[in-house]
Short mmCIF file of all heavy atoms in Angstrom, two decimals:
data_model
loop_
_atom_site.label_atom_id
_atom_site.label_comp_id
_atom_site.label_asym_id
_atom_site.label_seq_id
_atom_site.Cartn_x
_atom_site.Cartn_y
_atom_site.Cartn_z
N LEU A 1 1.28 -3.57 -22.44
CA LEU A 1 -0.04 -3.24 -21.93
C LEU A 1 -0.49 -1.90 -22.51
O LEU A 1 0.33 -1.01 -22.70
CB LEU A 1 -0.04 -3.13 -20.41
CG LEU A 1 0.13 -4.41 -19.59
CD1 LEU A 1 0.17 -4.07 -18.11
CD2 LEU A 1 -1.00 -5.39 -19.87
N SER A 2 -1.76 -1.78 -22.74
CA SER A 2 -2.30 -0.50 -23.19
C SER A 2 -2.28 0.47 -22.01
O SER A 2 -2.22 0.03 -20.85
CB SER A 2 -3.74 -0.67 -23.69
OG SER A 2 -4.61 -0.92 -22.60
N PRO A 3 -2.35 1.77 -22.26
CA PRO A 3 -2.41 2.72 -21.15
C PRO A 3 -3.57 2.43 -20.20
O PRO A 3 -3.42 2.54 -18.98
CB PRO A 3 -2.58 4.08 -21.84
CG PRO A 3 -1.92 3.88 -23.16
CD PRO A 3 -2.24 2.47 -23.55
N LYS A 4 -4.71 2.04 -20.73
CA LYS A 4 -5.87 1.73 -19.89
C LYS A 4 -5.58 0.51 -19.01
O LYS A 4 -5.88 0.51 -17.82
CB LYS A 4 -7.11 1.49 -20.75
CG LYS A 4 -8.37 1.28 -19.95
CD LYS A 4 -9.59 1.16 -20.83
CE LYS A 4 -10.82 0.98 -19.96
NZ LYS A 4 -12.04 0.89 -20.77
N GLN A 5 -5.00 -0.54 -19.59
CA GLN A 5 -4.66 -1.73 -18.81
C GLN A 5 -3.62 -1.40 -17.74
O GLN A 5 -3.74 -1.85 -16.60
CB GLN A 5 -4.11 -2.82 -19.74
CG GLN A 5 -5.13 -3.41 -20.68
CD GLN A 5 -4.48 -4.29 -21.74
OE1 GLN A 5 -3.41 -3.96 -22.27
NE2 GLN A 5 -5.13 -5.41 -22.03
N ALA A 6 -2.63 -0.62 -18.10
CA ALA A 6 -1.60 -0.23 -17.13
C ALA A 6 -2.21 0.58 -15.99
O ALA A 6 -1.84 0.39 -14.83
CB ALA A 6 -0.50 0.57 -17.82
N ASP A 7 -3.15 1.44 -16.31
CA ASP A 7 -3.81 2.25 -15.28
C ASP A 7 -4.60 1.37 -14.32
O ASP A 7 -4.58 1.58 -13.11
CB ASP A 7 -4.70 3.31 -15.92
CG ASP A 7 -5.14 4.37 -14.94
OD1 ASP A 7 -4.27 4.88 -14.19
OD2 ASP A 7 -6.34 4.68 -14.90
N VAL A 8 -5.29 0.37 -14.85
CA VAL A 8 -6.05 -0.56 -14.00
C VAL A 8 -5.10 -1.30 -13.05
O VAL A 8 -5.36 -1.41 -11.85
CB VAL A 8 -6.86 -1.56 -14.86
CG1 VAL A 8 -7.42 -2.70 -14.03
CG2 VAL A 8 -7.99 -0.84 -15.60
N VAL A 9 -3.98 -1.77 -13.59
CA VAL A 9 -3.00 -2.47 -12.75
C VAL A 9 -2.44 -1.53 -11.69
O VAL A 9 -2.34 -1.88 -10.51
CB VAL A 9 -1.86 -3.07 -13.62
CG1 VAL A 9 -0.74 -3.62 -12.73
CG2 VAL A 9 -2.40 -4.13 -14.55
N TRP A 10 -2.10 -0.29 -12.09
CA TRP A 10 -1.54 0.67 -11.14
C TRP A 10 -2.53 0.96 -10.01
O TRP A 10 -2.15 1.02 -8.84
CB TRP A 10 -1.12 1.96 -11.83
CG TRP A 10 -0.69 2.99 -10.84
CD1 TRP A 10 -1.32 4.15 -10.53
CD2 TRP A 10 0.44 2.93 -9.97
NE1 TRP A 10 -0.65 4.82 -9.54
CE2 TRP A 10 0.44 4.09 -9.18
CE3 TRP A 10 1.46 2.00 -9.80
CZ2 TRP A 10 1.42 4.35 -8.22
CZ3 TRP A 10 2.44 2.27 -8.84
CH2 TRP A 10 2.41 3.42 -8.08
N GLN A 11 -3.79 1.15 -10.35
CA GLN A 11 -4.81 1.44 -9.32
C GLN A 11 -4.93 0.29 -8.34
O GLN A 11 -5.07 0.50 -7.13
CB GLN A 11 -6.17 1.76 -9.97
CG GLN A 11 -6.18 3.02 -10.82
CD GLN A 11 -5.70 4.25 -10.09
OE1 GLN A 11 -5.95 4.45 -8.93
NE2 GLN A 11 -4.96 5.10 -10.80
N ALA A 12 -4.86 -0.95 -8.83
CA ALA A 12 -4.93 -2.13 -7.94
C ALA A 12 -3.71 -2.20 -7.03
O ALA A 12 -3.82 -2.46 -5.83
CB ALA A 12 -5.06 -3.40 -8.77
N VAL A 13 -2.53 -1.96 -7.60
CA VAL A 13 -1.30 -1.98 -6.79
C VAL A 13 -1.35 -0.88 -5.74
O VAL A 13 -1.05 -1.12 -4.56
CB VAL A 13 -0.05 -1.81 -7.70
CG1 VAL A 13 1.20 -1.53 -6.88
CG2 VAL A 13 0.14 -3.04 -8.57
N ARG A 14 -1.76 0.30 -6.14
CA ARG A 14 -1.85 1.43 -5.20
C ARG A 14 -2.81 1.13 -4.06
O ARG A 14 -2.51 1.38 -2.90
CB ARG A 14 -2.28 2.69 -5.97
CG ARG A 14 -2.51 3.92 -5.13
CD ARG A 14 -1.18 4.48 -4.66
NE ARG A 14 -1.36 5.42 -3.59
CZ ARG A 14 -0.97 6.68 -3.64
NH1 ARG A 14 -0.36 7.14 -4.69
NH2 ARG A 14 -1.16 7.47 -2.62
N ALA A 15 -3.97 0.55 -4.39
CA ALA A 15 -4.96 0.21 -3.36
C ALA A 15 -4.40 -0.83 -2.39
O ALA A 15 -4.58 -0.71 -1.17
CB ALA A 15 -6.25 -0.29 -4.01
N ASP A 16 -3.71 -1.84 -2.92
CA ASP A 16 -3.11 -2.87 -2.05
C ASP A 16 -2.06 -2.27 -1.11
O ASP A 16 -2.04 -2.59 0.08
CB ASP A 16 -2.46 -3.98 -2.89
CG ASP A 16 -3.46 -4.89 -3.57
OD1 ASP A 16 -4.66 -4.84 -3.22
OD2 ASP A 16 -3.03 -5.66 -4.46
N LEU A 17 -1.21 -1.42 -1.64
CA LEU A 17 -0.17 -0.81 -0.80
C LEU A 17 -0.79 0.13 0.24
O LEU A 17 -0.37 0.13 1.40
CB LEU A 17 0.84 -0.05 -1.65
CG LEU A 17 1.78 -0.93 -2.48
CD1 LEU A 17 2.66 -0.08 -3.38
CD2 LEU A 17 2.62 -1.83 -1.61
N ASP A 18 -1.77 0.92 -0.16
CA ASP A 18 -2.44 1.80 0.79
C ASP A 18 -3.08 1.00 1.92
O ASP A 18 -2.95 1.36 3.10
CB ASP A 18 -3.51 2.65 0.09
CG ASP A 18 -2.94 3.77 -0.75
OD1 ASP A 18 -1.77 4.14 -0.55
OD2 ASP A 18 -3.68 4.27 -1.63
N GLU A 19 -3.74 -0.10 1.58
CA GLU A 19 -4.40 -0.94 2.59
C GLU A 19 -3.37 -1.57 3.53
O GLU A 19 -3.55 -1.58 4.75
CB GLU A 19 -5.21 -2.04 1.90
CG GLU A 19 -5.96 -2.93 2.87
CD GLU A 19 -6.76 -4.01 2.16
OE1 GLU A 19 -7.11 -3.83 0.98
OE2 GLU A 19 -7.02 -5.05 2.81
N LYS A 20 -2.29 -2.09 2.96
CA LYS A 20 -1.24 -2.72 3.78
C LYS A 20 -0.65 -1.71 4.77
O LYS A 20 -0.47 -2.02 5.94
CB LYS A 20 -0.14 -3.27 2.87
CG LYS A 20 1.01 -3.93 3.63
CD LYS A 20 2.02 -4.55 2.69
CE LYS A 20 2.90 -3.52 2.07
NZ LYS A 20 4.05 -4.07 1.35
N HIS A 21 -0.39 -0.50 4.31
CA HIS A 21 0.19 0.51 5.19
C HIS A 21 -0.80 1.02 6.22
O HIS A 21 -0.41 1.34 7.35
CB HIS A 21 0.79 1.65 4.36
CG HIS A 21 2.14 1.29 3.80
ND1 HIS A 21 3.31 1.58 4.43
CD2 HIS A 21 2.47 0.61 2.67
CE1 HIS A 21 4.32 1.12 3.73
NE2 HIS A 21 3.84 0.52 2.66
N ALA A 22 -2.06 1.10 5.85
CA ALA A 22 -3.08 1.52 6.82
C ALA A 22 -3.20 0.50 7.94
O ALA A 22 -3.26 0.87 9.12
CB ALA A 22 -4.43 1.70 6.12
N LYS A 23 -3.18 -0.79 7.60
CA LYS A 23 -3.26 -1.84 8.62
C LYS A 23 -2.03 -1.81 9.52
O LYS A 23 -2.13 -1.93 10.73
CB LYS A 23 -3.38 -3.21 7.96
CG LYS A 23 -4.75 -3.51 7.42
CD LYS A 23 -4.79 -4.89 6.80
CE LYS A 23 -6.15 -5.16 6.18
NZ LYS A 23 -6.19 -6.47 5.51
N ALA A 24 -0.86 -1.63 8.91
CA ALA A 24 0.38 -1.62 9.69
C ALA A 24 0.42 -0.45 10.67
O ALA A 24 0.90 -0.58 11.78
CB ALA A 24 1.59 -1.57 8.76
N SER A 25 -0.10 0.69 10.25
CA SER A 25 -0.07 1.86 11.12
C SER A 25 -1.07 1.74 12.26
O SER A 25 -0.90 2.37 13.30
CB SER A 25 -0.30 3.15 10.34
OG SER A 25 -1.61 3.19 9.84
N GLN A 26 -2.10 0.90 12.09
CA GLN A 26 -3.10 0.70 13.14
C GLN A 26 -2.62 -0.31 14.19
O GLN A 26 -3.06 -0.26 15.33
CB GLN A 26 -4.42 0.22 12.54
CG GLN A 26 -5.13 1.29 11.75
CD GLN A 26 -6.36 0.77 11.03
OE1 GLN A 26 -6.63 -0.42 11.03
NE2 GLN A 26 -7.10 1.68 10.41
N GLU A 27 -1.76 -1.20 13.78
CA GLU A 27 -1.26 -2.21 14.71
C GLU A 27 -0.20 -1.58 15.62
O GLU A 27 0.76 -1.00 15.16
CB GLU A 27 -0.63 -3.38 13.95
CG GLU A 27 -1.60 -4.14 13.09
CD GLU A 27 -0.90 -5.17 12.23
OE1 GLU A 27 0.34 -5.32 12.33
OE2 GLU A 27 -1.60 -5.82 11.44
N GLU A 28 -0.38 -1.74 16.89
CA GLU A 28 0.59 -1.16 17.81
C GLU A 28 1.89 -1.94 17.69
O GLU A 28 1.90 -3.17 17.72
CB GLU A 28 0.09 -1.22 19.24
CG GLU A 28 1.04 -0.52 20.19
CD GLU A 28 0.39 -0.20 21.51
OE1 GLU A 28 -0.84 -0.12 21.56
OE2 GLU A 28 1.14 -0.04 22.47
N GLY A 29 2.97 -1.22 17.54
CA GLY A 29 4.27 -1.86 17.40
C GLY A 29 4.47 -2.50 16.06
O GLY A 29 5.33 -3.34 15.90
N GLY A 30 3.66 -2.12 15.05
CA GLY A 30 3.79 -2.65 13.70
C GLY A 30 5.12 -2.25 13.10
O GLY A 30 5.86 -1.45 13.65
N PRO A 31 5.47 -2.83 11.96
CA PRO A 31 6.76 -2.57 11.34
C PRO A 31 7.07 -1.10 11.13
O PRO A 31 8.19 -0.67 11.36
CB PRO A 31 6.67 -3.30 9.99
CG PRO A 31 5.60 -4.32 10.17
CD PRO A 31 4.65 -3.75 11.19
N GLU A 32 6.09 -0.30 10.71
CA GLU A 32 6.37 1.12 10.48
C GLU A 32 6.68 1.83 11.78
O GLU A 32 7.55 2.67 11.84
CB GLU A 32 5.19 1.80 9.79
CG GLU A 32 5.10 1.43 8.33
CD GLU A 32 4.03 2.21 7.62
OE1 GLU A 32 2.99 2.52 8.23
OE2 GLU A 32 4.24 2.51 6.44
N GLN A 33 5.95 1.48 12.86
CA GLN A 33 6.20 2.13 14.13
C GLN A 33 7.55 1.73 14.70
O GLN A 33 8.27 2.55 15.23
CB GLN A 33 5.07 1.81 15.11
CG GLN A 33 3.77 2.45 14.69
CD GLN A 33 2.61 2.07 15.58
OE1 GLN A 33 2.76 1.27 16.51
NE2 GLN A 33 1.46 2.65 15.32
N ARG A 34 7.90 0.44 14.56
CA ARG A 34 9.23 0.01 15.04
C ARG A 34 10.31 0.74 14.27
O ARG A 34 11.31 1.15 14.82
CB ARG A 34 9.39 -1.49 14.88
CG ARG A 34 8.66 -2.29 15.93
CD ARG A 34 9.16 -3.72 15.96
NE ARG A 34 9.08 -4.37 14.68
CZ ARG A 34 8.03 -5.05 14.22
NH1 ARG A 34 6.95 -5.13 14.93
NH2 ARG A 34 8.06 -5.62 13.05
N ARG A 35 10.10 0.90 12.98
CA ARG A 35 11.10 1.57 12.14
C ARG A 35 11.28 3.02 12.57
O ARG A 35 12.38 3.55 12.62
CB ARG A 35 10.64 1.49 10.67
CG ARG A 35 11.63 2.02 9.72
CD ARG A 35 11.24 1.47 8.37
NE ARG A 35 12.44 1.28 7.65
CZ ARG A 35 12.86 2.11 6.70
NH1 ARG A 35 12.15 3.11 6.34
NH2 ARG A 35 13.99 1.90 6.10
N ASP A 36 10.15 3.68 12.85
CA ASP A 36 10.21 5.08 13.27
C ASP A 36 10.85 5.24 14.63
O ASP A 36 11.39 6.29 14.95
CB ASP A 36 8.81 5.70 13.30
CG ASP A 36 8.23 5.83 11.90
OD1 ASP A 36 9.02 5.80 10.92
OD2 ASP A 36 7.00 5.95 11.78
N ALA A 37 10.81 4.19 15.45
CA ALA A 37 11.35 4.28 16.79
C ALA A 37 12.87 4.20 16.81
O ALA A 37 13.50 4.51 17.81
CB ALA A 37 10.78 3.14 17.65
#
């Protein structure tokens, strides 16, 4: 992949992970909260 293509893929992956973690932290008793407990 070109650097530009790799950057586009990285930004998409980063956005997906950020969204997944934001949703998990909003859910009461979500996986992250259980893990921290």
